[in-house]
Amino acid sequence: MIDIHEAGIRPPALARSYKLRMAGIRRHRNYTVEELARALGKTTQTIRRWIKNGLPVLTDIRPGLIMGVDVIDYMASRKPTRQTCAPDECYCFRCRIPRPCAGGMAEFVPMTATTGDLRALCPHCSTLMHKRTSNAALSVLSALLDISFPQGVPTLSAPLPPSLNDHFKTGAKS
C-alpha cells in the first residue's frame, strides 16, 4: 500500500478549504482522534497536540471521544481577532500590528479613479507599509497626516523619429 504522505498525494479532505472542512463537523456528533483528523484534513498528531493545548476529550471510554461542539468552540477560540487600523495607522507586516506613520508622513499613489494606495514607513522597523484608501477619505487623512502626491515617471507622448543609419551607404562600391 502506498503512503500518501511519502508519495506527495493530497487526500480529498486536505484539498478542501478550511470553511468547507469546518462545515463538515457536526455539533451533536462525537469523533475519535482518527475520525476528527480525517474530517478536518489534519494529521492525528495535530489533533493530539490540540488535546494537549486544551481541546476537551471524553476519556471515560476508550478510544477517547471528542464532541463536535467542543471542536467548533476550540477552533473559534484559536481564530485570531481581526485588527483594524485607525485612520492615521497602517498595518506593519513585519511588526504584525497597526502602527502610526513615521513622522506623520505618507504618500498617496492613485490606483484607480476612486481608490489609491497610502504608503508610509513604520516608525519601529522602517518597513514600507501600505493601506488602500479611497479618494474621499483623503480629506480626513490630510488633517491627520502630511500626505504627498508623488508625480509619476513621465512617459513618451510621441514616438521618437526612427534612427537613421547613415554610416551604411545605400549603394555598394565595387
Side-chain angles (χ1 to χ4, degrees):
M1 185 170 175
I2 297 175
D3 184 16
I4 60 172
H5 296 291
E6 289 178 7
I9 300 170
R10 294 186 66 140
L14 290 176
R16 293 184 294 177
S17 71
Y18 171 76
K19 282 186 176 183
L20 290 176
R21 289 192 306 260
M22 283 306 295
I25 298 298
R26 301 291 177 236
R27 181 175 290 279
H28 301 291
R29 188 175 186 280
N30 52 13
Y31 299 90
T32 65
V33 172
E34 290 78 17
E35 290 172 342
L36 185 60
R38 195 175 317 115
L40 292 175
K42 304 287 184 185
T43 63
T44 56
Q45 291 86 2
T46 300
I47 305 301
R48 288 189 178 100
R49 186 176 66 243
W50 290 352
I51 292 169
K52 284 182 183 178
N53 292 336
L55 178 63
V57 178
L58 300 174
T59 55
D60 298 342
I61 56 174
R62 293 286 180 194
L65 296 177
I66 305 165
M67 299 299 295
V69 68
D70 292 335
V71 174
I72 293 169
D73 293 342
Y74 179 77
M75 295 303 284
S77 69
R78 290 183 64 233
K79 187 176 181 181
T81 58
R82 183 176 172 92
Q83 296 181 350
T84 58
C85 298
D88 62 336
E89 292 180 331
C90 294
Y91 188 81
C92 179
F93 285 101
R94 184 175 288 173
C95 299
R96 295 181 187 246
I97 58 172
R99 298 270 191 199
C101 301
M105 296 183 297
E107 67 179 17
F108 182 78
V109 179
M111 299 302 226
T112 66
T114 58
T115 62
D117 192 21
L118 193 67
R119 296 179 184 171
L121 290 177
C122 177
H124 295 278
C125 65
S126 300
T127 301
L128 186 63
M129 303 184 296
H130 299 272
K131 181 178 183 178
R132 188 61 63 128
T133 58
S134 66
N135 292 346
L138 285 178
S139 60
V140 174
L141 289 173
S142 62
L144 302 171
L145 297 171
D146 180 23
I147 300 176
S148 64
F149 298 89
Q151 299 297 320
V153 177
T155 59
L156 299 174
S157 59
L160 295 174
S163 63
L164 301 174
N165 292 330
D166 60 353
H167 60 280
F168 292 115
K169 301 292 184 188
T170 56
K173 291 185 181 179
S174 19

